Amino acid sequence: MELINEQRAIQVCQETKNSVNGILELFLQYAAMCLENEEYVNAINSLLPFDNFLQIKEKNLYDNSLVESMGLSIMRMDFEPSVFSLGACLEITEGKYNKAINTTILVSAGKTLGEIKEYVKSDAFLMQVKENFEKQIEDSFSSQD
């Protein structure tokens, strides 16, 4: 019975990774579009250094997986030069084989808003976020008792 539960946990973990990977590109397109939106840009530019952050978050409405939402967090690091840090957020609900997670991973720091906009559209960013999210999902499943 234990072996069956372990095999099922591995299967659900892989299904969760597949779900994230299946919707990640759509989410990043949405996030890139938000970063071009005048209201978001004004909100980002009005941030004070290390005081608060702006989050672009989207609920997962694409499937019935454990993936609750994905997001980006932007924090101002300094006024002059006007640079920001960028984080990627992932929220996974608790299931039979995993614990819930709600995490933000720093993926970039010291970039201008223009550099962040370009970076979010890049394959390098997609791969970095994908690898980090997969690791977080694995941790969610491996730490379940």
Side-chain angles (χ1 to χ4, degrees):
M1 187 64 164
E2 185 66 32
L3 180 61
I4 292 171
N5 280 338
E6 186 177 322
Q7 289 174 337
R8 181 65 183 136
I10 292 169
Q11 180 182 4
V12 174
C13 179
Q14 188 59 50
E15 289 170 358
T16 304
K17 286 184 197 177
N18 292 344
S19 178
V20 165
N21 293 335
I23 61 179
L24 186 58
E25 286 190 53
L26 292 172
F27 168 71
L28 293 178
Q29 289 171 7
Y30 167 77
M33 190 174 63
C34 289
L35 290 172
E36 297 296 335
N37 180 285
E38 185 178 349
E39 287 181 49
Y40 279 106
V41 171
N42 289 340
I44 292 167
N45 285 323
S46 68
L47 292 170
L48 297 174
F50 300 105
D51 183 45
N52 210 337
F53 61 90
L54 177 93
Q55 194 168 64
I56 299 168
K57 199 170 190 179
E58 185 176 45
K59 291 250 183 227
N60 175 21
L61 303 176
Y62 300 104
D63 60 29
N64 334 339
S65 69
L66 297 171
V67 180
E68 184 70 25
S69 66
M70 287 189 227
L72 296 181
S73 292
I74 300 173
M75 179 185 286
R76 181 183 287 275
M77 297 173 65
D78 206 349
F79 280 120
E80 291 300 325
S82 184
V83 291
F84 302 86
S85 62
L86 176 66
C89 314
L90 178 65
E91 185 177 3
I92 303 288
T93 59
E94 183 174 350
K96 181 176 180 179
Y97 304 104
N98 71 300
K99 69 175 183 172
I101 60 169
N102 188 355
T103 187
T104 300
I105 304 151
L106 179 67
V107 291
S108 178
K111 291 191 184 288
T112 66
L113 186 54
E115 290 170 331
I116 286 175
K117 288 177 183 182
E118 289 305 309
Y119 186 54
V120 166
K121 296 175 191 174
S122 74
D123 288 340
F125 179 71
L126 174 67
M127 292 309 297
Q128 184 179 13
V129 171
K130 179 180 174 184
E131 288 172 13
N132 278 306
F133 281 180
E134 285 186 1
K135 173 144 182 23
Q136 294 299 315
I137 292 166
E138 287 172 8
D139 289 350
S140 169
F141 279 82
S142 67
S143 55
Q144 184 70 11
D145 294 326

